[in-house]
Amino acid sequence: MDFKQIEAFVNVVKYKSFSKAADAMFFTQPTISTHVSNLETELGEKLLDRKGRKIELTPQGMVFYKFAVDMVNARERAIEAMEGASHKVGGTLELQTSSIPGVAFLPEVLSEFSKEIGDVQYYVTLSDTQSVIENLADRRGELGFIGSKPTSNGFECTKVFSDKVVLIAPKAFNLGPTVTLAEIKEMPFIWRENGSATRKSFEETVADCGYDRSELKVAGLFDDLVSIVKSVECGLGVSVVSKKVADSVVTDKMTISEIKEFKVNRDFYMVNLKNVSLSPLAETFKNFVKERAEK
């Protein structure tokens, strides 16, 4: 096998698409398909299941993918070491992020990083905290940004910023700048999915204050922050979000209220797998973020 085959396979898995992998490697799609097919022939195993437009790893592909990522990263590190400090770091940086860092933190940081480094493309997957952790564990992305520390000790965590949880509501609800849980617990809530750290934090606080979180009214459940904000704006219900997010998305049809019982700010983290070598680009970005992290 050669590195072009391995890189083609890794990129198809990363981008979940032969055409996007071709764009990332500046190859044609048939060339990418040939590389992956030749790799499967040489290994004697089927690595990918092609189900229409959907591409999934086979069990053998899952095993090989982790080694393939390590081989690609090791090759990049070797080239960087041989070429010395004059070698320009660049390429594609794949990141996983939950919604709040993805809206309130990453865009500005990526812009600053591009100005400093130059030739960088970003492939950012936005989901919830639990999905970010699972995707990183499956080597889908090298760095992640989430709203709570992973329970697994297999991750390295760096705090990057803090923020408070606030309530956003339709203006017609006539809420003041500060509300209590007693005032809002009967209101219709618009939730993120179960893997959301913001939702988990709010429900834990509700329980700690002696309320039954199962009694909270549910107006809707969305896996997209933009849909939540739009639903609040249209009057469907209220929702809890980061203040940084609220400040950037709330319109004149909505209000922002601090929740009296939320006295402690939430911390947000950059995470990566321990004992797994990062690509030179990911390592450079990680150090860049660390230098700018809130102390």
Side-chain angles (χ1 to χ4, degrees):
M1 71 184 75
D2 62 38
F3 269 100
K4 291 301 179 186
Q5 296 172 347
I6 297 170
E7 287 176 329
F9 169 66
V10 168
N11 280 301
V12 169
V13 176
K14 277 186 177 182
Y15 301 117
K16 304 179 181 67
S17 164
F18 280 84
S19 60
K20 290 181 180 178
D23 291 341
M25 296 182 69
F26 302 100
F27 287 160
T28 64
Q29 184 172 333
T31 299
I32 295 294
S33 297
T34 298
H35 280 322
V36 173
S37 179
N38 289 343
L39 179 62
E40 290 177 322
T41 299
E42 187 167 346
L43 292 172
E45 298 285 356
K46 189 176 183 181
L47 303 176
L48 298 171
D49 277 330
R50 302 159 181 82
K51 300 178 180 178
R53 293 185 177 182
K54 191 174 182 180
I55 298 170
E56 295 180 353
L57 283 167
T58 65
Q60 296 87 350
M62 290 180 185
V63 173
F64 183 73
Y65 179 66
K66 295 179 181 181
F67 291 102
V69 171
D70 286 342
M71 284 188 279
V72 171
N73 287 346
R75 177 176 181 267
E76 291 180 3
R77 286 183 169 278
I79 292 173
E80 181 185 38
M82 294 303 294
E83 294 185 351
S86 62
H87 177 61
K88 185 178 179 181
V89 175
T92 301
L93 180 61
E94 186 180 6
L95 304 172
Q96 296 282 337
T97 183
S98 61
S99 59
I100 291 174
V103 172
F105 177 76
L106 269 183
E108 183 177 353
V109 173
L110 297 183
S111 177
E112 292 176 357
F113 186 66
S114 287
K115 291 174 184 176
E116 182 169 311
I117 299 299
D119 186 23
V120 184
Q121 296 82 43
Y122 303 100
Y123 187 79
V124 182
T125 300
L126 191 147
S127 55
D128 57 66
T129 290
Q130 186 57 40
S131 295
V132 170
I133 293 169
E134 291 172 358
N135 287 338
L136 288 179
D138 289 337
R139 307 294 181 88
R140 297 178 184 271
E142 297 186 85
L143 296 167
F145 295 85
I146 55 178
S148 62
K149 283 187 175 181
T151 55
S152 168
N153 60 6
F155 288 87
E156 178 184 341
C157 300
T158 302
K159 176 188 167 185
V160 290
F161 72 96
S162 296
D163 198 17
K164 63 177 60 178
V165 172
V166 296
L167 186 86
I168 57 174
K171 199 167 187 177
F173 281 31
N174 295 317
L175 296 181
T178 303
V179 296
T180 65
L181 287 177
E183 292 177 280
I184 64 175
K185 68 182 182 67
E186 298 296 330
M187 293 183 177
F189 273 85
I190 303 170
W191 290 120
R192 283 289 306 277
E193 63 278 19
N194 285 326
S196 165
T198 301
R199 174 179 173 177
K200 180 181 178 183
S201 173
F202 180 78
E203 290 181 335
E204 288 175 348
T205 300
V206 168
D208 290 343
C209 290
Y211 297 103
D212 187 346
R213 57 189 176 186
S214 66
E215 294 180 0
L216 295 172
K217 296 181 180 178
V218 179
L221 182 68
F222 294 87
D223 61 3
D224 175 67
L225 182 61
V226 175
S227 297
I228 290 175
V229 173
K230 189 65 178 177
S231 297
V232 172
E233 183 182 39
C234 292
L236 182 61
V238 302
S239 191
V240 287
V241 299
S242 157
K243 189 173 187 303
K244 288 182 184 289
V245 170
D247 288 341
S248 64
V249 301
V250 163
T251 69
D252 57 4
K253 296 180 181 179
M254 304 158 67
T255 58
I256 303 173
S257 302
E258 294 190 8
I259 304 171
K260 186 176 181 180
E261 287 82 357
F262 277 75
K263 302 182 184 298
V264 179
N265 285 356
R266 281 182 60 204
D267 294 332
F268 292 83
Y269 303 90
M270 174 175 63
V271 296
N272 62 275
L273 286 170
K274 290 180 179 178
N275 304 318
V276 173
S277 296
L278 297 175
S279 66
L281 179 58
E283 189 69 46
T284 302
F285 182 70
K286 177 182 175 182
N287 292 331
F288 180 87
V289 172
K290 280 186 172 182
E291 290 174 0
R292 287 153 180 77
E294 294 180 3
K295 305 302 181 184

